[in-house]
Amino acid sequence: MDRQVRRGMVERGHPALSIGAQCRLLSISRSSFYHEPVGETEQNLGLMQLIDKQFLDTPFYGVRQMAWHLRNEGHGVNPKRIRRLMRLMRLMPIYQTRRLSGEQPSLTRDRLVCSRIAGVFRAMLSKQPNAAFAKFGRVSGGESPL
């Protein structure tokens, strides 16, 4: 059961059970029962609108570039705040990843077919170990089964 549902089950004026006892029975802390969540400030909501608008134009801006952009527009922000707001908005920038295993060959049609076949093999092996070999036959010498 969700914490909010359990929190709603606590009766403040129960004659036999105190609030603390009810919270223990429902496995919620008493402090979370009394806690009133506070929303975002108006300033943060304004920043979130600016971030959203800029992110639509430049989806490759990460936290540092977004903070730099907002500072250039005259807003006093730091990367920690922008990171928190972007996480809250579930924004992930589009960027290239590092090539850690040396030089990567380009993805040709043959490599794409082989990678798809490898995925089929993995899926089939996880369900029925011999099904992949029954369907494609034995692969020898690095030949592609297709």
Side-chain angles (χ1 to χ4, degrees), residues 36-74:
E36 296 285 332
V38 179
E40 291 294 330
T41 63
E42 290 296 321
Q43 185 180 14
N44 282 345
L45 291 175
L47 284 173
M48 288 168 74
Q49 286 179 346
L50 291 171
I51 290 170
D52 191 38
K53 181 181 171 189
Q54 183 63 33
F55 196 77
L56 288 175
D57 293 336
T58 54
F60 50 87
Y61 272 16
V63 171
R64 290 184 290 178
Q65 286 178 313
M66 191 65 72
W68 177 82
H69 171 75
L70 290 173
R71 276 195 300 267
N72 281 344
E73 288 191 353

Side-chain angles (χ1 to χ4, degrees), residues 4-113:
Q4 294 294 351
V5 174
R6 289 182 289 171
R7 192 174 164 209
M9 294 172 68
V10 176
E11 296 179 25
R12 289 187 184 266
H14 195 278
L17 290 173
S18 67
I19 290 177
Q22 291 179 54
C23 288
R24 276 193 301 276
L25 288 172
L26 293 170
S27 300
I28 59 173
S29 64
R30 201 174 74 220
S31 62
S32 68
F33 171 72
Y34 288 113
H35 177 69
E36 296 285 332
V38 179
E40 291 294 330
T41 63
E42 290 296 321
Q43 185 180 14
N44 282 345
L45 291 175
L47 284 173
M48 288 168 74
Q49 286 179 346
L50 291 171
I51 290 170
D52 191 38
K53 181 181 171 189
Q54 183 63 33
F55 196 77
L56 288 175
D57 293 336
T58 54
F60 50 87
Y61 272 16
V63 171
R64 290 184 290 178
Q65 286 178 313
M66 191 65 72
W68 177 82
H69 171 75
L70 290 173
R71 276 195 300 267
N72 281 344
E73 288 191 353
H75 301 282
V77 294
N78 64 3
K80 289 184 203 174
R81 184 182 204 176
I82 299 302
R83 182 173 288 114
R84 185 182 71 81
L85 293 176
M86 285 180 75
R87 280 185 184 160
L88 185 64
M89 297 165 64
R90 298 184 194 279
L91 295 179
M92 289 292 297
I94 300 169
Y95 58 90
Q96 291 182 337
T97 58
R98 294 171 123 194
R99 296 181 180 193
L100 298 176
S101 61
E103 193 168 329
Q104 298 287 327
S106 63
L107 189 63
T108 62
R109 184 181 182 284
D110 296 333
R111 285 181 48 86
L112 185 61
V113 169

